[in-house]
Amino acid sequence: MKPILSVKDVSRAFGHVQALKNVDLDVFPGQTLGLLGDNGAGKSTLIKVISGVCIPDEGKFTCRGQEVRIEDPSQAQGLGIATIYQELSLVDTRPVAHNIWLGREPRRWGIFIDLHKMERDAKEILGRLGITLPSVSVDVEVLSGGQRQAVAIARAISQGGDILLMDEPWASLGVEQRVLVQRMMKDLKGLGKAIVLVTHDLSNILEITDKIAVLRQGKLAAYADSKSTSIQEIIGWITGALAGTIPEKGV
């Protein structure tokens, strides 16, 4: 299987701080990649680089076999890259359907918002993702944390997202809501979506990911199949107690 997105030799410095140094990363369709590391390891910077928020000093990107440029969020979105941040960026006082199509509302005669079509399309995409909500016309503020994540995921998919960057998606969720989000992630994999998951929670990381990438001090410290590693190894890679195995350049 060929990666849908490859990041090669990406580096980024902020003044004298080297946030990323020659990082390689492959993201595959229908798989979840766990991007792990301690605070300051470079995870957030790498996500910002891939999403076009931050331009790297060096490096290149290949998407679907073609070398591409990612220098702003619109370019990333055009490549099918969607980022779901912990804060979600939802408008609490607007209905579900409005949040899913925010800024891209269907219009009649190019002027009036077509509310019927917007709600119908919102129901269609939620149904396709297996997401059940009270209604697409209720305000987001009345939803649970897991349901709010569902709306954010639906919005990302509606934007054409085939590569989903998920930043701490269950950091503030309860157990039941966390299970809901993880089920949605499994369903997304079944639809062929590629997921990059950033999380500090290692409790069941090996069950919900296919591959693990560990960043340490801005460098790729380890890259492994989830089935062939252990939590103890991951902790060792994160802390630097163990030397990780990473693919050779060009392989």
Side-chain angles (χ1 to χ4, degrees):
M1 181 188 300
K2 293 183 178 180
I4 188 173
L5 176 71
S6 291
V7 175
K8 298 297 181 185
D9 288 321
V10 164
S11 297
R12 171 69 186 190
F14 298 95
H16 297 295
V17 178
Q18 190 72 46
L20 296 173
K21 181 65 175 178
N22 300 125
V23 173
D24 291 355
L25 202 67
D26 288 328
V27 182
F28 293 86
Q31 291 189 357
T32 297
L33 170 68
L35 183 59
L36 311 176
D38 210 345
N39 291 333
K43 304 185 303 299
S44 295
T45 301
L46 183 57
I47 290 297
K48 289 177 180 177
V49 164
I50 297 174
S51 62
V53 174
C54 179
I55 301 175
D57 299 322
E58 299 175 358
K60 67 178 183 179
F61 305 94
T62 303
C63 188
R64 300 178 182 85
Q66 300 292 321
E67 188 169 340
V68 297
R69 299 174 70 87
I70 305 178
E71 296 181 340
D72 61 56
S74 63
Q75 286 181 321
Q77 185 174 323
L79 295 169
I81 300 171
T83 308
I84 303 167
Y85 293 105
Q86 183 178 343
E87 295 81 7
L88 297 182
S89 300
L90 298 176
V91 182
D92 286 347
T93 55
R94 299 291 295 277
V96 169
H98 285 259
N99 270 277
I100 291 176
W101 300 106
L102 193 64
R104 301 170 295 116
E105 295 88 349
R107 296 181 181 272
R108 290 179 292 172
W109 306 299
I111 301 174
F112 304 105
I113 293 178
D114 190 339
L115 181 59
H116 178 70
K117 176 175 172 52
M118 184 166 61
E119 291 186 345
R120 185 179 69 243
D121 291 349
K123 291 177 182 177
E124 188 278 329
I125 194 166
L126 288 169
R128 181 153 46 95
L129 296 174
I131 297 171
T132 302
L133 297 178
S135 169
V136 297
S137 59
V138 300
D139 289 347
V140 165
E141 63 184 353
V142 306
L143 301 180
S144 69
Q147 290 171 330
R148 288 166 59 86
Q149 279 285 1
V151 174
I153 290 171
R155 182 171 64 186
I157 298 301
S158 75
Q159 294 171 345
D162 290 319
I163 304 164
L164 305 181
L165 312 178
M166 304 185 71
D167 184 13
E168 300 285 354
W170 46 71
S172 58
L173 301 184
V175 174
E176 184 176 349
Q177 297 170 350
R178 172 178 173 145
V179 170
L180 169 65
V181 175
Q182 291 181 1
R183 180 192 62 76
M184 285 189 290
M185 289 174 58
K186 182 178 180 180
D187 292 342
L188 289 168
K189 284 174 53 178
L191 294 173
K193 307 298 182 181
I195 301 173
V196 178
L197 169 66
V198 179
T199 181
H200 285 90
D201 189 345
L202 304 182
S203 58
N204 64 339
I205 193 68
L206 299 179
E207 288 75 31
I208 60 177
T209 60
D210 300 284
K211 294 182 180 294
I212 296 292
V214 175
L215 292 179
R216 176 171 168 78
Q217 298 177 346
K219 299 179 181 180
L220 183 64
Y223 184 82
D225 289 331
S226 300
K227 292 181 180 179
S228 63
T229 187
S230 66
I231 296 298
Q232 290 72 28
E233 277 188 308
I234 292 173
I235 293 173
W237 296 333
I238 291 174
T239 61
L242 294 176
T245 301
I246 59 177
E248 296 181 12
K249 296 288 183 178
V251 176

